Amino acid sequence: IDFGPLGNANIQLGNQPGELYLHDSKDAFLRTLDFGQNWQTLTQLPVTPWSTGVFISPSNPNKFLLPNVEAYRSSNRGESWEKVNDWMEYYENPSVKLHADIMHIAEYKEGSQNFIIVANHGGLSISYNNGQNFSNIGFNHLNIGQYYSAKTYPKDNRYVFGGSQDQGLQRTLLFEEGTGNFTQMFSGDFGHIQFTNNDRSLWTVFPGGLVLYYENPLTGNFPSSSYFLESINQDVWLPPIIKSPYHSNSVLLAGGGKQGSSGSRIIELQISDLGFLEESVWPFDFSVSGGTLSHIAVNNLDNKDVYAITSN
């Protein structure tokens, strides 16, 4: 049995004496019934299990779950597998579909009731029938999010915006005491929220350099304009944007070059009087440092002074 160059093995206990399961470096799934003296190859796993390994239900030894970007289940002790749902299905029906990136699976018991909890990048989902059906318990006053950014709307402090990991750009309505009830405006990962246009409009950025602009973020869920940084040197997870002091409705993006070009430069994105998004690429190439532009700042007392940091 080959565990690959790292030598990592994930071995799970079955429910019978001597019963063990493992997968090898090529994702073959094996079982032994005599404490490892003899092994039988059951099947080829559909994907490589993530570090938590294949889950075997303690209460129902026929039921297995496999964590990866998506979850897979088996009802015959791992001899065949089916996908629980595609990760894209979550966005059409988040109350019952699993979110992407399955990080941990565990079974618990309350009274005579056994249930399985699946932790994923969308929160926690629960199943009372060994993974056949799930319910998103994040809908029940357990609002979960990992936030890159959170900012109060300057024009009306009853509203708060959040840029979260995998739970998108979010907005609260009438933030009060207790847990905030956020509404997802746009799915994905967002951060670096900035307000321009006399603090009426909102900008935010997605990994890789997708910038969204909301002219009126209180009413619309879809952006008014967008810009994508197609630079071969862009490697900062969330390229920072800051409010530009040079135009009332513009931001400075710490990014790469003009569309598809090399280098790492500051890009000014401005909404024109006619509502079009225009780009202006500053000339200096920060990649001469051996790194890429990772943050910028402007002197509040003298906006001719601009400061920059690179990944190197």
Side-chain angles (χ1 to χ4, degrees), residues 24 45 95 143 160 204 260 305:
D24 67 9
L45 294 178
S95 63
N143 301 323
V160 178
T204 188
D305 291 337

Side-chain angles (χ1 to χ4, degrees), residues 217-228:
L218 297 187
T219 59
N221 288 342
F222 291 95
S224 310
S225 301
S226 63
Y227 172 86
F228 185 67

Side-chain angles (χ1 to χ4, degrees), residues 269-284:
L269 302 176
Q270 180 184 357
I271 302 298
S272 70
D273 293 339
L274 296 177
F276 298 109
L277 193 154
E278 301 173 346
E279 69 166 358
S280 175
V281 182
W282 290 16
F284 187 78

